[in-house]
């Protein structure tokens, strides 16, 4: 708060054995008072500029040139008054990711599966996803400026969620929640029940596999009979 001079921030995982190679940062919508640079080979490279304005969905990803740590440099901007300014951002450290540019469309962190998942990917998704819910599509909206689509879901059952993205509406009593995906996936509203899976990034749910529920049920039961399911999943 009230940025002045400069601040060096070193991001590193809490496990020494972790080998994170990519860091993604998302400035707060009210980010102001400073610019963010990343250190590379002793040089500073601009990542977020206060002059350019921090957009709510602006996410920048870049590879770490040194193992297990990334250094950011926050440089305060000259100010003519003492009004309150806050330079805040979220970050995620990623492992086994290819280097990504600052273009949100190319961001490996939120790489959505535009193609349908195969059976193996689907069975793994129910085991490893941050959220797994059964529901129907209430509405689909598109944001061309930020290259995103949002799927609003009426939820029938929450099997798993990392945080409270899917919540009960106080007025109607229905469970609902938004799921994001890339605009290029061209998601459309479809009838029927689906099994929505995916991961959370920066407090938002991002779509992974989303088969029709009856198709998933058939695939899971067939795999279970062959003892080929990677984990147990309580359908009922």
């Amino acid at each position: 708060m009230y940025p002045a001079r400069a601040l060096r921030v070193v991001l590193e995982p809490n496990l020494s054995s972790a080998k994170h190679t990519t860091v993604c940062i998302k400035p707060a919508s009210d980010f102001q008072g400073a610019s963010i640079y990343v250190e590379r080979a002793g040089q500073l490279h601009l990542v977020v500029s206060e002059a350019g304005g921090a957009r709510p969905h602006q996410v920048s990803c870049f590879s770490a040139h040194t193992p297990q740590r990334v250094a950011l440099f926050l440089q305060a901007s000259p100010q003519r008054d003492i009004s309150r300014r806050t330079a805040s951002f979220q970050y995620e450290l990623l492992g086994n990711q290819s280097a990504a540019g600052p273009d949100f469309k190319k961001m490996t962190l939120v790489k959505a599966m535009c193609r349908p998942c195969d059976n193996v990917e689907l069975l793994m998704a129910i085991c490893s996803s941050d959220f797994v819910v059964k529901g129907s599509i209430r509405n689909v909206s598109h944001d061309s400026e930020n290259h995103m689509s949002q799927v609003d879901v009426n939820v029938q059952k929450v099997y798993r969620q990392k945080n409270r993205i899917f919540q009960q509406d106080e007025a109607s009593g229905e469970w609902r929640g938004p799921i994001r995906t890339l605009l290029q996936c061209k998601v459309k509203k479809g009838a029927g029940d689906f099994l929505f899976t995916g991961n959370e990034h920066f407090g938002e749910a991002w779509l992974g596999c989303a088969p029709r529920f009856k198709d998933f049920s058939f695939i899971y039961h067939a795999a279970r009979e062959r003892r080929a399911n990677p984990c147990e999943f309580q359908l009922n």
Side-chain angles (χ1 to χ4, degrees):
M1 297 176 60
Y2 300 100
R5 299 185 180 180
L7 181 68
R8 186 173 184 265
V9 180
V10 177
L11 307 177
E12 54 186 358
N14 56 8
L15 295 174
S16 60
S17 60
K19 295 182 179 179
H20 294 267
T21 58
T22 302
V23 62
C24 292
I25 64 173
K26 178 182 180 181
S29 57
D30 60 349
F31 181 96
Q32 57 180 329
S35 295
I36 302 178
Y37 300 79
V38 60
E39 288 186 9
R40 284 180 176 170
Q43 300 292 322
L44 296 179
H45 299 268
L46 182 63
V47 177
V48 177
S49 171
E50 183 190 26
R55 300 188 303 276
H57 299 295
Q58 176 186 354
V59 177
S60 300
C61 299
F62 39 84
S63 59
H65 282 206
T66 56
Q68 300 181 353
R69 60 187 297 169
V70 174
L72 300 177
F73 192 82
L74 278 70
Q75 175 68 57
S77 306
Q79 306 296 339
R80 295 183 178 181
D81 55 60
I82 57 172
S83 59
R84 174 172 171 165
R85 294 176 177 83
T86 304
S88 63
F89 64 93
Q90 296 174 286
Y91 74 92
E92 290 193 8
L93 294 169
L94 308 174
N96 301 322
Q97 302 281 345
S98 59
D103 188 346
F104 194 82
K105 292 180 292 183
K106 299 177 182 177
M107 180 179 159
T108 57
L109 174 63
V110 295
K111 183 176 64 177
M113 288 187 174
C114 294
R115 61 174 177 79
C117 296
D118 62 29
N119 292 357
V120 174
E121 291 170 334
L122 175 55
L123 292 171
M124 286 301 300
I126 62 173
C127 303
S128 60
S129 295
D130 290 338
F131 67 87
V132 181
V133 299
K134 176 186 178 182
S136 58
I137 299 176
R138 182 164 58 94
N139 184 52
V140 177
S141 56
H142 304 290
D143 182 352
S144 57
E145 181 180 355
N146 292 300
H147 312 286
M148 295 187 303
S149 296
Q150 178 170 302
V151 182
D152 295 315
V153 176
N154 284 332
V155 178
Q156 299 175 24
K157 184 174 181 62
V158 177
Y159 294 99
R160 182 193 313 131
Q161 64 173 327
K162 188 176 180 180
N163 295 300
R164 291 180 54 82
I165 291 178
F166 304 96
Q167 299 187 40
Q168 189 174 25
D169 183 76
E170 294 183 359
S172 65
E174 296 180 346
W175 282 75
R176 298 175 177 175
I179 303 176
R180 298 184 183 276
T181 188
L182 297 184
L183 184 66
Q184 66 196 51
C185 293
K186 300 178 180 179
V187 174
K188 297 180 180 179
K189 184 178 180 179
D193 296 333
F194 296 83
L195 186 75
F196 298 97
T197 71
N199 292 305
E200 295 182 21
H201 298 294
F202 299 111
E204 299 174 340
W206 283 86
L207 186 63
C209 300
R212 291 192 176 275
F213 190 82
K214 61 179 182 179
D215 295 335
F216 161 73
S217 181
F218 176 81
I219 292 169
Y220 178 77
H221 283 302
R224 199 167 187 270
E225 288 181 359
R226 304 192 312 270
R227 297 185 178 180
N229 53 312
C231 67
E232 289 294 323
F233 186 79
Q234 298 297 325
L235 279 174
N236 300 322

